[in-house]
Amino acid sequence: MRVLTGIKPTGRPHLGNYLGSIRPAVALSKERETFLFIADLHALTTIRDATELRELVCDVAATWLACGLDPERTVFYRQSDVPEISELNWILACYTGQGLLDRAHAYKAARDTGEEVNVGLYTYPVLMSADILAFDSTHVPVGQDQKQHLEICRDIATRFNHYHGEVLTVPEPIIDDHVAVIPGLDGRKMSKSYGNTIPLFFERQGVKKKIMSIVSDSTPLEEPKDPDSSLVYQLYSMMAPTDRAAEMADKLRAGGYGWGHAKKELVALFHELFEERAKTYDRLMANRGELEEVFAAGAQRARAQAADTLDRVKKALGLL
Ligand code: TRP
């Protein structure tokens, strides 16, 4: 079993990213062989500013490392450092029916909302397939939004194998349907595009104020409260170990414990989880040489693997 995931660096990582993807992926990396990379080539479909891209790539990498990703254990790399992926991308494009891409939700959504549709966006699923197939990944954890991309990848690999035999490994999705949506400060899904995020490290100075200003109902302090009615408890229960979450739920139900108290505990828990990690993050962001070393070592390991696959593919095609 080999698990692979990519992270598109299009925003500063926030608490929703931590709970929804960083924490589970770091946990999984302790049990399985994992490949994890920063999909900077995918970010090129939208990002046009060099400084912005560089900052986002470093921020995402520093955040993952600060949150416990061990680059010795996980093959951790930057997509653009592995040219074999781009080479495979072209080959796979020749095995991708146009109809398959015409049906892709991501490109259709952009087209329908009048956003720029460049060919990179249109062929996004092909590059993503190259990401996955270059490493003989057997399992890819994906959210609902990426499910279709994985189906496209499976289609492409199957079609290639139909002509050339079992050359490519057809991956399985790991779809975690029961992961809860992480709510943002306004109760909607926490997302950069809603402007309702709690930052992890970058601009974290405002976190306390953001949490303290979460709107809560006006049940008097002494009255019992329904924990699940409030965003404060929802976030707390997603961040805290089960027994601690249950403790807060009991206090809320018992009465005599207000939302203000709960918010303070949420702020304290946030600091408990991220204060030490923020120091690592700050160090990595201030010293880019250290990050570059991590990327260089990861690229070396990743390239060795991808070169193997590419070699197999080229032989099958008659290119070698
Ligand atoms: N498309 C994914 C996203 O937007 C990122 C990604 C790129 C990816 N290549 C991948 C995810 C390969 C899994 C496997 O979130």
Side-chain angles (χ1 to χ4, degrees):
M1 180 165 181
R2 175 177 287 170
V3 186
L4 174 138
T5 320
I7 310 122
K8 192 161 66 161
T10 45
R12 301 281 181 176
H14 54 69
L15 184 64
N17 301 131
Y18 173 76
L19 296 171
S21 72
I22 302 175
R23 189 174 65 182
V26 170
L28 191 67
S29 73
K30 300 194 167 137
E31 291 160 21
R32 306 271 178 230
E33 181 183 27
T34 45
F35 279 59
L36 198 111
F37 67 96
I38 306 203
D40 55 351
L41 295 176
H42 277 112
L44 294 181
T45 63
T46 51
I47 298 183
R48 300 285 183 238
D49 184 284
T51 309
E52 184 189 358
L53 183 60
R54 215 176 279 124
E55 283 307 301
L56 290 174
V57 168
C58 288
D59 200 329
V60 170
T63 298
W64 279 76
L65 294 167
C67 290
L69 184 85
D70 175 0
E72 298 289 327
R73 195 183 263 279
T74 297
V75 182
F76 180 56
Y77 54 99
R78 194 163 48 185
Q79 185 185 29
S80 61
D81 286 334
V82 185
E84 289 79 6
I85 296 172
S86 298
E87 204 176 340
L88 185 60
N89 174 58
W90 168 256
I91 294 172
L92 296 177
C94 298
Y95 287 79
T96 308
Q98 186 181 348
L100 199 58
L101 298 184
D102 284 340
R103 289 189 293 276
H105 305 314
Y107 134 76
K108 285 202 294 189
R111 187 195 58 193
D112 294 346
T113 54
E115 282 164 56
E116 175 192 314
V117 176
N118 52 63
V119 176
L121 180 66
Y122 180 68
T123 60
Y124 187 109
V126 183
L127 180 59
M128 186 160 156
S129 301
D131 290 330
I132 296 168
L133 300 172
F135 299 98
D136 289 319
S137 318
T138 61
H139 292 82
V140 183
V142 284
Q144 283 299 335
D145 62 324
Q146 299 296 316
K147 229 169 115 174
Q148 191 193 29
H149 288 153
L150 203 76
E151 280 159 20
I152 295 175
C153 173
R154 289 171 54 87
D155 275 359
I156 295 173
T158 306
R159 181 143 182 225
F160 188 95
N161 287 349
H162 170 76
Y163 288 99
H164 304 293
E166 297 301 306
V167 177
L168 297 172
T169 305
V170 183
E172 300 290 334
I174 305 180
I175 297 166
D176 209 345
D177 277 326
H178 49 263
V179 287
V181 171
I182 319 292
L185 290 163
D186 59 359
R188 290 185 294 174
K189 177 181 177 202
M190 192 180 290
S191 158
K192 183 184 66 148
S193 44
Y194 294 147
N196 63 0
T197 61
I198 298 177
L200 276 182
F201 301 123
F202 184 74
E203 292 180 346
R204 61 185 179 269
Q205 298 75 11
V207 166
K208 180 170 179 196
K209 211 167 137 206
K210 284 187 170 163
I211 291 177
M212 294 312 288
S213 62
I214 291 175
V215 181
S216 43
D217 67 38
S218 48
T219 319
L221 177 71
E222 53 291 346
E223 304 256 317
K225 294 166 196 68
D226 173 15
D228 297 314
S229 70
S230 163
L231 183 62
V232 180
Y233 177 73
Q234 284 173 38
L235 287 173
Y236 189 83
S237 66
M238 291 174 171
M239 288 162 65
T242 337
D243 51 336
R244 269 176 75 181
E247 240 170 71
M248 182 186 278
D250 289 344
K251 285 193 271 185
L252 284 163
R253 286 197 197 96
Y257 178 84
W259 293 118
H261 298 125
K263 287 179 192 175
K264 283 195 188 127
E265 281 199 56
L266 181 59
V267 171
L269 177 60
F270 184 90
H271 287 136
E272 217 179 284
L273 281 174
F274 300 115
E275 214 158 47
E276 271 308 302
R277 291 168 167 174
K279 291 182 191 154
T280 307
Y281 168 88
D282 288 343
R283 190 193 75 232
L284 291 167
M285 288 302 275
N287 172 15
R288 301 292 168 92
E290 196 178 333
L291 273 182
E292 284 304 330
E293 277 170 32
V294 172
F295 283 141
Q300 206 177 2
R301 289 167 74 191
R303 289 194 68 181
Q305 179 65 46
D308 249 24
T309 309
L310 200 58
D311 198 61
R312 231 165 51 224
V313 165
K314 285 181 163 178
K315 280 191 183 121
L317 295 172
L319 290 171
L320 287 182

